[in-house]
């Protein structure tokens, strides 16, 4: 039979509470941005090594503001660094949570799909005469392949 990787339930109340918590997170971070893939590609990235560089640059700029052009906004740089430092642990925490949710969704989806395959297999094998032919045929549409002709016609249109 199938291997059950997870056995749990989620009440509608718990689901609603989680969704409300996510809404609260979005509300508390009204400045969040939705970058396009092109924007993501074009932006310089700040990783672990860059953090030390940025902190050192902020220290140098704070202690020696006279060498910077008047148009340089040191206060904005400070706000950016502070916001990065505040958001970074939030990002790590949410990333970990996202991985856990993704892995759980994958595992429970796998459990459900494996169980459905068993049901389908038994419906095909023992459904003859039990009135399951139509249901088994309908379920079998999931595995139907398009003919080569139908595929090639679809790509040339």
């Amino acid at each position: 039979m199938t291997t059950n990787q997870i056995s749990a339930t989620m009440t509608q109340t718990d689901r609603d509470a989680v969704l409300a918590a996510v809404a609260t997170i979005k509300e508390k971070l009204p400045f969040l941005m939705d970058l396009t893939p092109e924007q993501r590609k074009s932006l310089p990235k700040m990783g672990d090594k860059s953090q030390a560089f940025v902190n050192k640059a902020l220290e140098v700029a704070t202690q020696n503001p006279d060498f910077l052009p008047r148009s340089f906004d040191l206060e904005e740089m400070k706000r950016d660094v502070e916001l990065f430092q505040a958001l970074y642990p939030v990002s790590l925490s949410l990333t970990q949570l996202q991985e856990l949710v993704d892995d759980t969704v994958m595992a429970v989806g796998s459990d459900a799909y494996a169980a459905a395959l068993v049901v389908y297999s038994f419906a095909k094998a023992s459904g003859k005469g039990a009135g399951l032919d139509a249901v088994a045929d309908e379920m079998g549409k999931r595995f139907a392949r398009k003919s080569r002709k139908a595929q090639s016609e679809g790509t040339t249109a």
Side-chain angles (χ1 to χ4, degrees):
M1 292 301 279
T2 62
T3 314
N4 195 37
Q5 300 176 77
I6 183 169
S7 181
T9 60
M10 181 178 210
T11 66
Q12 185 65 41
T13 303
D14 286 346
R15 182 176 180 255
D16 292 345
V18 169
L19 293 173
V22 170
T24 299
I25 291 169
K26 288 180 181 178
E27 179 185 308
K28 297 295 180 182
L29 304 172
F31 46 80
L32 293 179
M33 300 178 69
D34 185 14
L35 299 174
T36 66
E38 294 79 25
Q39 289 171 317
R40 276 191 205 97
K41 240 183 236 182
S42 69
L43 290 174
K45 314 300 185 286
M46 183 154 79
D48 292 337
K49 291 178 185 176
S50 300
Q51 286 182 42
F53 173 79
V54 168
N55 290 333
K56 180 59 80 178
L58 179 59
E59 185 181 316
V60 168
T62 302
Q63 292 177 7
N64 306 285
D66 296 336
F67 81 92
L68 295 168
R70 289 184 205 225
S71 62
F72 186 83
D73 191 343
L74 182 57
E75 290 306 310
E76 183 59 35
M77 182 183 184
K78 287 178 183 177
R79 282 192 296 275
D80 289 344
V81 170
E82 288 171 2
L83 182 57
F84 178 86
Q85 291 170 344
L87 279 176
Y88 192 71
V90 173
S91 177
L92 288 177
S93 181
L94 290 174
T95 298
Q96 291 171 349
L97 178 61
Q98 180 70 50
E99 287 177 9
L100 291 170
V101 171
D102 287 348
D103 288 351
T104 303
V105 166
M106 184 178 290
V108 75
S110 176
D111 285 354
Y113 186 65
L117 288 173
V118 170
V119 169
Y120 174 62
S121 175
F122 278 99
K124 272 184 17 182
S126 9
K128 305 284 185 213
L132 296 177
D133 292 341
V135 174
D137 288 345
E138 185 178 328
M139 291 175 72
K141 290 178 184 175
R142 154 65 178 90
F143 304 104
R145 294 184 179 185
K146 293 182 180 177
S147 69
R148 288 191 180 268
K149 184 177 179 183
Q151 285 177 345
S152 64
E153 286 175 5
T155 59
T156 59

